[in-house]
Each structure stands twice: as C-alpha cells, then as structure tokens.
Amino acid sequence: MPIETQLATFEAAWLPRLNAPLADAIAQDTGDDRLAAAMQYSVLAGGKRLRPLLTVATLQTLGQTVDLKRLWRPIMALELLHTYSLIHDDLPAMDNDDLRRGEPTNHVKFGAGMATLAGDGLLTLAFQWLTATDLDAAVQAELVTSLAQAAGPAGMVAGQAKDIQSEAVDLPLADLRVLHKEKTGALLHYAVAAGLIMGGVPTAARAAYLRFADAFGLAFQIYDDILDVVGTAVELGKATQKDAGEAKNTYPGKLGLQGANQALIKTIAAGQAALDDLPADTDASLLRAFFSYFDTKRVKA
C-alpha cells in the first residue's frame, strides 16, 4: 500500500474517534459556558490532530490495542495543550494573527482577555486529562512530567522566548535548529514518547523511536517555513509570508528555498534511518507513512 494511502486510511479510521467526544468532554470539565465556548472554538476549528495520531500510531507500532475508553483523555491531552499554544501565539502581544485554520483567531472572536483564559483553561485541563484514567500511577506521573518538560520553560516556552528575542537577529543555523527543536519539536517528541510510556517501553529501548520523533519535528518546522513562502492563505488557513516581513529566522531565509528543501529531504532520510534501527520484527510502516505529510516537490528545481 502506498504510504499516502496508508496514512489516509489510518486518519479516516481514527480522526472521527478522537474528535467525537471533544466538545462534550470540554464542556463537562469547564465551569463557565462562555469559557467553554472559547475553548471549544479553537479545539474544534479543525487541524490534523497530528500529535494524538502520532501517539496512537506509536502504540499500534508497538502492537498495543488502543482502548479509547481508558486512553482517550491521556491521548487527547496533548491536543488541548497544543491548541492553547496556538491561541496564545496568535494574541496581539505575540504574533497578532487574525486567521487560524481558515477562521478568525480566538481573540478576534472572543476578545483578548477571554482568549487568554481559554488558553489557560486548555493548558491546565491537559494535565487533568493525563490523570483521568486508570493507568498505573507511575505511568501517569511520567506522562505529566514528560509533557511539562516538553511544553514548559525547558521546551516549547523556551523556544517561543528564543523566537521573540531573535527577531531581526541573524541566528546561526545551529541556534535556529535548537529554537525549532524547542518551539515545535518538543511536543512532537512528546507525542511519540507518550505512546512509548503508555505502551510500557523501557527507557533504554526508546532511542530509535525518539530519534524518529525529533527528525519528524524538525522536518515539520522546515516544511512549515517552506509553506510560508510557497503556500497560500486559502490553502494553509492562516496568513502567509509573515516570517520574512517580521524578520524571523527561517530555513528558506538562511538557505534559500532549494537549500531548505534539501534540508527537508535530508531530515526525512534521518527519520527513516531511525526507524530502520527498530527491532527487526517491528512493522514501522505506519510511522514511515507520516513522512508523506511533506511534499518535497513543492519547491521547483
């Protein structure tokens, strides 16, 4: 089966199951109707659900049965946290964006104050959902610690801080890679790590999976940088060509489009090589299929 078909089949099977309970679950765990509406608005505005899908795919690659009665909230906690980061990233004090996923951003719809609170609510609810399960207490604790490290001041928040401070500053490529690893890669790293934690994989046996996750995270950011140049607002559901206008450091800005595309191809190859290092009896085809998200032919030769 072509990898694009395998990924499409996987998404068709899992997206409805992941999405269906979201609105009711958020309302159930929120004590104010307007706040719940603001939280639901951004979570339900679309999105690929890439991060929870990666967790499910990791569990399936491990040969685990994904029981959503037990695991739905822990799996979807990451999507809540990711959505909080988008709401706050769009705020006037940050990127001041008016469009996200083809719809008005949360602060445009609900005002900056309520949007800030919606992000706060999703952030904290994410950690509540990690423990809303009968998983072993040690597993719950490791999930909480891992997500806090990925999302907090050693991970995504650190990357955002570097991003703000580096506008109009010419970062060396190595420093840009660190910024991307924190800002974008940390949550994708956690998405795979969460599957390994819930799947009971010992720490010593996780390295190849996590190298795949890190390569996927970097490829995701490089591709996002490329799409900001070659994509359209209609296609992407958000404003494009903002990075150059705001003097942000990007792969196309440093390497040109052709160079950025070559970096993308090289990064994908590194992720595929990491999967080659999994035990010989592991069927990694589903994880490999995630690389079909990236169209390396978008940049013309």
Side-chain angles (χ1 to χ4, degrees):
M1 180 187 299
I3 60 172
E4 296 88 350
T5 303
Q6 184 174 10
L7 186 60
T9 300
F10 174 70
E11 289 175 329
W14 281 97
L15 278 173
R17 299 175 66 187
L18 295 175
N19 283 329
L22 269 169
D24 288 345
I26 291 170
Q28 176 184 327
D29 289 333
T30 305
D32 180 87
D33 290 346
R34 184 67 172 170
L35 176 61
M39 293 163 65
Q40 291 166 330
Y41 175 77
S42 290
V43 174
L44 301 175
K48 299 180 287 292
R49 306 293 185 232
L50 177 61
R51 291 152 189 83
L53 285 172
L54 267 172
T55 303
V56 172
T58 301
L59 284 164
Q60 288 196 338
T61 301
L62 295 171
Q64 299 280 329
T65 298
V66 183
D67 179 3
L68 289 185
K69 289 183 178 179
R70 298 180 66 232
L71 299 181
W72 182 80
R73 277 183 168 82
I75 288 171
M76 291 304 290
L78 178 55
E79 191 67 16
L80 299 188
L81 194 142
H82 170 60
T83 305
Y84 124 77
S85 75
L86 300 181
I87 294 173
H88 281 197
D89 197 41
D90 289 337
L91 286 169
M94 297 288 283
D95 285 351
N96 195 26
D97 280 318
D98 294 332
L99 195 67
R100 171 70 69 177
R101 293 171 175 167
E103 300 292 339
T105 49
N106 200 290
H107 69 270
V108 171
K109 178 82 171 176
F110 292 92
M114 187 59 74
T116 302
L117 293 173
D120 294 343
L122 290 169
L123 166 62
T124 48
L125 185 57
F127 288 96
Q128 179 181 322
W129 279 14
L130 286 179
T131 58
T133 175
D134 63 355
L135 286 169
D136 184 82
V139 172
Q140 295 181 38
E142 188 174 3
L143 288 170
V144 168
T145 300
S146 296
L147 183 55
Q149 290 171 341
M156 181 183 69
V157 174
Q160 292 281 20
K162 287 183 175 69
D163 195 36
I164 289 173
Q165 295 174 86
S166 65
E167 290 183 10
V169 175
D170 186 15
L171 283 182
L173 191 60
D175 290 351
L176 179 60
R177 184 166 183 153
V178 172
L179 188 160
H180 286 336
K181 183 175 182 179
E182 293 172 345
K183 180 182 175 182
T184 302
L187 292 191
L188 290 165
H189 179 102
Y190 170 81
V192 173
L196 300 174
I197 293 166
M198 285 187 275
V201 177
T203 302
R206 298 176 187 176
Y209 285 100
L210 296 178
R211 283 193 286 113
F212 153 77
D214 289 339
F216 185 86
L218 179 58
F220 187 89
Q221 184 60 59
I222 296 172
Y223 192 58
D224 191 66
D225 285 354
I226 291 171
L227 290 181
D228 186 68
V229 179
V230 304
T232 66
V234 172
E235 174 192 3
L236 304 180
K238 61 181 181 178
T240 59
Q241 301 186 19
K242 286 193 66 179
D243 291 339
E246 296 173 355
K248 289 195 173 185
N249 289 272
T250 67
Y251 271 74
K254 292 203 164 295
L255 303 175
L257 275 174
Q258 288 288 350
N261 203 51
Q262 287 303 310
L264 174 61
I265 292 168
K266 182 178 179 181
T267 304
I268 291 170
Q272 298 281 20
L275 294 176
D276 290 339
D277 289 338
L278 294 177
D281 60 348
T282 302
D283 180 1
S285 61
L286 180 55
L287 291 178
R288 291 186 192 281
F290 274 77
F291 286 115
S292 67
Y293 274 115
F294 311 123
D295 181 2
T296 58
K297 295 181 173 59
R298 288 298 298 265
V299 177
K300 305 303 181 185

